[in-house]
Amino acid sequence: MKKQTMMMAVPTLFGLEGLVADELRYHGLENVTAENGRVLFEGDWKDLCTASLWSRCGERVLIVLSRFRAESFEELFEGTREAPWENFIGSLDHFPVKGWSLDSQLHSVPDCQRIIKKAVVERLKECYGNPWFEESGPLMQIQFSIHKNEVTLMLDTSGPGFHKRGYRQNANEAPIRETLAAGIADLSRVRSDSIVVDPMCGSGTILIEAAMKARNLAPGLMRRFQFEQWGCFPLKNMEQAREEAKSVIRKDIGFEAIGYDIDPAAVELTLANAKKAHVEKYLRAEQADIARFRADKIPMEGHRKALILSNPPYGERLLDTQKAQELYKTMGVVFRPLENHAYSIISPDEEFEALFGRKADKRRKLYNGMLKCQLYMYYR
């Protein structure tokens, strides 16, 4: 098949755009550009496989088919009909439409969905000579965004988001998204010889993402992607990409992960999820109360620095705000400044530093879903 270069977009949680851009560049992808909430790059099918397998912090990959301005339904229809839909959508494929509009003349999402669908059908009628489409084949999810009258038309290649790694079928009541946990591990500079500790590990997501990073284990290796079902996709590209990803997994590393949680069910869940993620060799967990945590008792042999990473309950879901704030005070007592120790704590509470008892050395704005948070980083 002739090499097909495409523009692609990787949506991200706000605050992770730079990390996603860096990881795409690291894996050799070209013309990478970070925007608010997404990262753009150019590539072919092989590059799509690479981005899908290796993006730890991105949410999915979308193929960008067209970008144009539209202030009327006629302009939306004509702009949509000009896009090369036939290069991807076969005569039997299922192609529903979804999307959003913000600060634009065309503000009715259902009407935009209807117009875009009609325009795609008209384009495909001309290409295939079909009077109608039964749409019984693979899913080709069309997505659109309209922001300040600028339309972007895309195809979702991923299906379930990238945070669906495959290792966490079960979770505790308020888990952190895997892509955000991977971002925290990256910002905290987890390496293959690090020791990472989470004193409130929940279902173990932060520890597992840190271990996967340390092992150089591609986060998409345990799952499938929607584009693998497409008739236009050459399957040999993904077969080759998976084999290459398996060949670079680190096996002999000095990494350790230690998790604690007051809930014994959370400890069991962490260990079960670690096994599914193939990092159980590097992770241990046990029941313990945060009030009894001792950073100076972390076994440092073979490690230059201990990284204590934590996603404590926020108050909105697991605990009420007062209890959450009491917890932050406790953390301030037990997370003592120590040489060769660093702490990264994510919280939406703007009073966190006052409750914790000291100013962070660095703060990084991140979003946990739609919840605005700060990653408070202490270098000792």
Side-chain angles (χ1 to χ4, degrees), residues 83-99:
W85 300 101
E86 69 279 4
N87 288 352
F88 301 92
I89 301 177
S91 60
L92 296 177
D93 293 342
H94 179 43
F95 51 101
V97 179
K98 66 180 180 181

Side-chain angles (χ1 to χ4, degrees), residues 44-106:
D44 57 13
W45 289 115
K46 186 173 183 292
D47 297 317
L48 171 60
C49 296
T50 298
S52 298
L53 282 175
W54 284 102
S55 183
R56 296 189 188 281
C57 303
E59 293 299 314
R60 61 184 62 249
V61 178
L62 305 167
I63 296 174
V64 181
L65 270 75
S66 185
R67 304 173 83 176
F68 58 91
R69 187 172 181 82
E71 298 183 22
S72 68
F73 287 127
E74 181 179 357
E75 291 175 335
L76 179 63
F77 181 88
E78 293 300 330
T80 301
R81 189 166 64 173
E82 289 178 5
W85 300 101
E86 69 279 4
N87 288 352
F88 301 92
I89 301 177
S91 60
L92 296 177
D93 293 342
H94 179 43
F95 51 101
V97 179
K98 66 180 180 181
W100 54 268
S101 178
L102 181 66
D103 298 331
S104 301
Q105 292 289 107
L106 303 176

Side-chain angles (χ1 to χ4, degrees), residues 97 115 165 191 223 243 265 317 331 335 363:
V97 179
I115 295 297
R165 309 286 207 222
R191 299 290 184 263
R223 56 161 288 172
E243 288 306 311
R317 298 169 69 182
M331 292 170 68
F335 287 9
R363 292 169 53 164

Side-chain angles (χ1 to χ4, degrees), residues 17 25 48 114 116 121 125 129 152 154 160 165 177 190 195 200 203 228 239 242 245 316 318 376 379:
E17 299 92 342
R25 293 189 187 103
L48 171 60
R114 178 175 54 83
I116 290 171
V121 168
K125 278 183 180 180
T152 304
M154 300 162 286
R165 309 286 207 222
R177 185 172 289 197
V190 169
I195 182 166
M200 290 171 283
S203 54
E228 294 180 75
E239 293 169 4
R242 282 200 170 93
E316 285 83 353
L318 287 181
Y376 297 93
Y379 299 144

